[in-house]
Amino acid sequence: MTSFTVAASDYSLLTDLYQVTMAAAYAGEGLAMLPASFEVTVRRLPRGHTYLVAMGLAQVLDYLSQFCLTPEQIEYLQGLAVFERAPAAFWELLHDSRFQGTVWAVPEGTVVFAQEPLLRIEAPLWQAQWVETVILNTLNYQTLIATRASRLRQLVGDTVALLEFGTRRAFSPQASLWAARAALAAGFNATSNVLAAQQLGVAPTGTMAHSLVMAIATTIGTEQDAFTVFLRYYPDAALLVDTYDTLSAVATLANREAAGELQVQAVRIDSGDLVSLSQKIRQLLPHAKIVASGDLDEAEIRRLLTAGATIDAYGIGTKLVTGDPVNGVYKLVEINGHGVMKRSSGKGTLPGRKQIYRRPSGDYLALADEADVWGTPLLEQVMQDGQPLIPVESVRTIGDRHRSSLSALPPTVQETPQPVVYSPALDALVQQLRSQP
């Protein structure tokens, strides 16, 4: 029995069964190596959102560049009853399974809208089909976090700090790393996740827990003794003041500061009426920064700002890394040079390989091979024959791109999505395919 974790060599088998059964069927019918194009889009934006921030491309490219099924993985598949009729051609494909495709994508940090492709895979049909699961898992989650982080940054402005505290609520250890990366790239100042910070080349941030206050208060003396001990080692630390009586703790700190016993740089409040508490703390400790946390989200922070809370930084965890998902889908748009589309009610797709052109009046969605289309193209080629064409970027670089992308859009994008117009050629292809029996 293994420890049930995912190693880098495991990712090629990290797919849904139907991707594998379809690949076997393609091989049996002589279709496996036909050129195919799949695109990742979001049909509808998450509730309350007006745009998305594309994120996760770096991990997708890393996955594709290392894609290769091991002999042990192939042997496992051969032992499954479902594949007892799988053709020999299928097993031959798997023994030479290096990803051979091309990838087009919008760079990480770019703002996009519903129905616009974040990424396109052009590869042999069986490979393009197989990689769907990991691609959606990677892009959907990081795009969700980056989008929320971006909206929070726009809400609080540039002077308020946003701290990513979601590691313990993220859906897995891997998800916690992705969440920290996406949040930092889209506007957060720091993360409490030490491993994420180390891998991203930044310094982690953090305060203290109620357990430290209770442990020291119980074994040494008082809550104030806990503050004294912590400041001895970390003089710039934020003191968590709501273990017992928040205002009593802050009032005592203010008296001690006035007496010259200590200096309080910051305090954190994690419960109670954050509006009233922050205002009273500001009066008692006018020079200390106030950090608020405790199941905060965009709606709650908006309420706090409207009500006049005096908060300098927000630590955001659960509501950042969980909740309504980005429901990105991965759909076939072209096979062997022929555009295809799904026509089912409420879940239709747009056919053909596409390009997004950004214009001041709104985005223009055209077929990829259309010429002389005006606007800034957003999709760039980022992989050729399974080899990445771009370097791994820092969160600072992605953050700069995100700010530039957002600033190029009208301020109303915070409340209303930009219009997306289809080119005549794309619209004609849609109408042509809709008319087919």
Side-chain angles (χ1 to χ4, degrees):
M1 184 68 179
T2 69
S3 59
F4 210 65
T5 57
V6 182
S9 59
D10 296 327
Y11 272 88
S12 297
L13 201 62
L14 182 57
T15 192
D16 291 297
L17 178 63
Y18 75 173
Q19 315 287 16
V20 187
T21 56
M22 285 188 286
Y26 294 149
E29 298 303 309
L31 304 175
M33 297 304 293
L34 286 181
S37 296
F38 286 74
E39 290 181 348
V40 176
T41 58
V42 175
R43 294 191 184 98
R44 289 172 293 277
L45 297 174
R47 182 177 52 194
H49 289 55
T50 55
Y51 63 85
L52 297 174
V53 180
M55 199 72 192
L57 176 62
Q59 287 70 42
V60 167
L61 295 181
D62 183 59
Y63 158 67
L64 294 175
S65 65
Q66 298 187 62
F67 185 90
C68 183
L69 290 159
T70 66
E72 293 77 15
Q73 290 169 338
I74 297 172
E75 182 179 358
Y76 165 74
L77 293 174
Q78 288 175 323
L80 296 178
V82 68
F83 293 113
E84 63 180 343
R85 296 187 180 183
F90 174 57
W91 306 116
E92 292 172 6
L93 283 176
L94 299 192
H95 281 289
D96 185 21
S97 56
R98 185 183 67 83
F99 182 73
Q100 300 168 332
T102 294
V103 179
W104 290 73
V106 295
E108 290 188 289
T110 304
V111 173
V112 293
F113 302 98
Q115 299 295 333
E116 295 183 334
L118 283 70
L119 174 142
R120 181 171 69 250
I121 297 288
E122 300 174 359
L125 177 58
W126 81 271
Q127 291 190 346
Q129 187 79 70
W130 189 293
V131 300
E132 171 184 358
T133 303
V134 168
I135 288 175
L136 286 180
N137 177 276
T138 304
L139 294 182
N140 281 344
Y141 189 65
Q142 290 199 58
T143 295
L144 169 68
I145 307 303
T147 303
R148 288 180 176 168
S150 172
R151 289 179 60 85
L152 286 164
R153 173 52 66 200
Q154 302 314 304
L155 175 62
V156 303
D158 294 332
T159 59
V160 174
L162 292 173
L163 313 174
E164 189 277 310
F165 285 176
T167 297
R168 66 190 63 189
R169 299 289 188 264
F171 296 135
S172 70
Q174 178 64 77
S176 74
L177 299 181
W178 286 356
R181 176 178 184 270
L184 292 180
F188 272 47
N189 298 87
T191 177
S192 65
N193 188 313
V194 179
L195 177 59
Q198 186 263 334
Q199 291 191 358
L200 295 170
V202 301
T205 192
T207 57
M208 61 194 300
H210 294 108
S211 55
L212 180 137
V213 174
M214 292 185 289
I216 293 180
T218 301
T219 59
I220 294 180
T222 68
E223 178 183 35
Q224 292 296 319
D225 290 324
F227 297 151
T228 299
V229 168
F230 206 65
L231 290 178
R232 182 183 304 147
Y233 299 102
Y234 314 104
D236 296 327
L239 302 175
L240 184 58
V241 294
D242 67 340
T243 304
Y244 304 118
D245 184 317
T246 303
L247 292 181
S248 175
V250 174
T252 303
L253 283 170
N255 290 334
R256 295 180 67 193
E257 189 173 64
E261 290 184 31
L262 49 71
Q263 286 189 329
V264 180
Q265 301 297 328
V267 298
R268 176 162 74 96
I269 45 178
D270 191 56
S271 59
D273 182 345
L274 298 184
V275 175
S276 175
L277 287 173
S278 67
Q279 292 171 342
K280 292 174 180 177
I281 291 171
R282 182 70 77 210
Q283 293 174 354
L284 292 166
L285 293 170
H287 304 299
K289 291 184 178 180
I290 301 173
V291 182
S293 57
D295 289 336
L296 300 176
D297 61 9
E298 184 178 335
E300 177 61 10
I301 292 175
R302 181 177 287 108
R303 185 192 71 80
L304 293 173
L305 293 173
T306 302
T310 57
I311 295 171
D312 301 292
Y314 294 94
I316 306 173
T318 302
K319 298 297 181 68
L320 176 68
V321 302
T322 65
D324 292 343
V326 166
N327 193 21
V329 296
Y330 181 92
K331 298 299 179 184
L332 181 68
V333 296
E334 184 178 284
I335 179 71
N336 204 27
H338 300 286
V340 297
M341 66 181 289
K342 184 178 176 182
R343 292 181 286 176
S344 55
S345 177
K347 289 192 173 182
T349 60
L350 293 173
R353 295 176 299 114
K354 292 174 285 296
Q355 176 62 274
I356 309 165
Y357 292 92
R358 182 137 294 169
R359 302 175 173 183
S361 58
D363 286 1
Y364 191 79
L365 196 57
L367 295 175
D369 56 3
E370 288 188 55
D372 302 322
V373 180
W374 175 75
T376 302
L378 298 188
L379 286 143
E380 302 175 359
Q381 186 176 354
V382 295
M383 175 171 275
Q384 176 70 43
D385 191 29
Q387 297 301 310
L389 301 178
I390 60 173
V392 175
E393 297 179 319
S394 68
V395 290
R396 181 184 295 273
T397 296
I398 299 169
D400 290 342
R401 178 183 298 117
H402 173 58
R403 287 188 291 274
S404 176
S405 178
L406 199 56
S407 66
L409 298 168
T412 54
V413 76
Q414 298 298 324
E415 304 299 331
T416 306
Q418 279 279 86
V420 178
V421 177
Y422 303 163
S423 72
L426 174 57
D427 192 57
L429 181 58
V430 169
Q431 299 307 320
Q432 172 193 336
L433 295 176
R434 279 180 178 167
S435 66
Q436 292 180 353

